[in-house]
């Protein structure tokens, strides 16, 4: 069965540094992958989508890479700020209507 | 700009009681979803509705039923609640199109004693 792994340990970084979060998957070749942000007590909010034929996608301070050979996506936040502190989830499409979510990585940016 | 609205936000039930969680979206989306989120487990799909009039099982459907009442509303019913169903439940909707993102509500926190 398909499996997604995100680092379950919290990631603490200093303000201004680049945060890098990892999403690894097995037993599947998704056509695209999505990243979401979730704040405590709230639902996930969509951030970025990257397709299998795209190596990299950027949006403001966010960058996502997609390596279909390694079966891995990296999510980068440059010039991180305390407001970036949240849990970040990756999600793979699993057919037209279904998705598989990772467990998420909690990021804390220290001032 | 309500987006996806879930009611109630919190609920405590006793084992064996029944409960319906309500979800409504105002974005004219075709597809709607119910997930549960448990610590260390991530979001797991319970049921989804690809379009009005259709529903399909997800990864963890046992103990739940759903109704796609109309295009806006998708409800989740627990007929006989069990402690294992204590969780945070999220509803989401999505427009048609293969790579469209999902829009989530803020969840219902359900405790079953």
């Amino acid at each position: 069965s398909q499996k997604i792994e995100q680092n379950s340990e919290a990631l603490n970084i200093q303000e201004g540094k680049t945060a890098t979060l990892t999403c690894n998957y097995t037993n599947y070749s998704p056509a695209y992958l999505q990243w979401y942000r979730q704040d405590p007590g709230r639902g996930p909010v969509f951030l970025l989508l990257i397709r299998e034929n795209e190596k990299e996608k950027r949006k403001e301070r966010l960058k996502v890479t997609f390596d279909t050979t390694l079966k891995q996506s990296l999510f980068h936040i440059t010039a991180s700020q305390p407001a970036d502190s949240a849990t970040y989830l990756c999600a793979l499409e699993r057919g037209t209507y279904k998705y598989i979510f990772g467990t998420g990585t909690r990021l804390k940016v220290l001032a | 700009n309500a987006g996806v609205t879930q009611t109630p936000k919190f609920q405590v039930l006793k084992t064996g009681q029944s409960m319906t969680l309500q979800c409504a979206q105002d974005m004219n989306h075709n597809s709607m979803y119910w997930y549960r989120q448990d610590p260390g487990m991530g979001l797991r799909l319970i049921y989804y509705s690809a379009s009005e009039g259709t529903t399909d099982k997800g990864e963890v459907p046992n103990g739940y039923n759903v109704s796609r009442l109309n295009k806006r509303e998708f409800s989740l019913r627990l007929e006989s609640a069990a402690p294992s169903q204590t969780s945070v439940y999220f509803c989401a909707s999505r427009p048609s199109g293969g790579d469209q993102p999902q829009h989530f509500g803020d969840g219902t926190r359900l405790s079953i004693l």
Side-chain angles (χ1 to χ4, degrees):
Chain A
S1 62
Q2 298 80 34
K3 192 174 178 182
I4 301 179
E5 290 184 351
Q6 293 185 258
N7 193 341
S8 59
E9 294 181 10
L11 177 63
N12 293 335
I13 64 165
Q14 209 63 38
E15 182 176 10
K17 300 292 186 183
T18 295
T20 298
L21 285 64
T22 303
C23 177
N24 294 302
Y25 60 92
T26 60
N27 298 333
Y28 192 61
S29 296
Y32 60 88
L33 182 149
Q34 299 177 345
W35 283 89
Y36 290 78
R37 169 183 172 141
Q38 186 174 22
D39 291 288
R42 305 299 299 274
V45 174
F46 171 75
L47 295 174
L48 279 171
L49 176 148
I50 187 164
R51 296 178 179 83
E52 62 179 338
N53 61 350
E54 298 174 320
K55 295 295 183 186
E56 182 179 297
K57 202 79 168 283
R58 292 176 185 262
K59 179 182 176 183
E60 298 172 351
R61 295 184 296 110
L62 308 181
K63 185 178 85 171
V64 173
T65 63
F66 195 9
D67 189 324
T68 55
T69 301
L70 291 178
K71 293 188 182 295
Q72 181 182 77
S73 176
L74 299 178
F75 178 81
H76 307 271
I77 306 175
T78 58
S80 60
Q81 304 166 0
D84 295 326
S85 299
T87 296
Y88 291 86
L89 310 172
C90 68
L92 300 185
E93 61 80 18
R94 179 65 183 95
T96 304
Y97 299 105
K98 294 165 70 171
Y99 298 82
I100 300 174
F101 281 82
T103 54
T105 298
R106 192 167 72 245
L107 173 67
K108 187 169 183 179
V109 181
L110 306 170
Chain B
N1 275 358
V4 178
T5 303
Q6 293 185 236
T7 55
K9 296 189 186 307
F10 303 93
Q11 185 70 47
V12 178
L13 294 178
K14 293 181 179 178
T15 298
Q17 287 186 317
S18 61
M19 170 80 188
T20 299
L21 279 58
Q22 307 286 353
C23 174
Q25 53 93 7
D26 62 1
M27 296 172 282
N28 201 36
H29 289 169
N30 284 323
S31 302
M32 297 187 74
Y33 302 79
W34 276 106
Y35 293 90
R36 61 178 289 175
Q37 188 174 40
D38 302 290
M41 300 291 289
L43 283 161
R44 291 184 292 169
L45 182 64
I46 304 171
Y47 271 93
Y48 68 100
S49 171
S51 60
E52 186 179 358
T54 68
T55 60
D56 284 286
K57 295 179 180 179
E59 181 184 355
V60 288
N62 291 344
Y64 305 95
N65 286 301
V66 291
S67 296
R68 184 75 184 265
L69 305 170
N70 47 56
K71 192 171 186 179
R72 291 187 63 248
E73 298 172 287
F74 189 38
S75 62
L76 178 72
R77 183 161 178 84
L78 286 70
E79 290 290 352
S80 179
S84 61
Q85 295 178 304
T86 293
S87 188
V88 182
Y89 292 85
F90 287 99
C91 176
S93 69
R94 189 177 74 94
S96 297
D99 59 2
Q100 295 296 314
Q102 295 178 78
H103 299 253
F104 286 83
D106 281 335
T108 293
R109 283 140 190 85
L110 184 61
S111 292
I112 299 160
L113 307 177

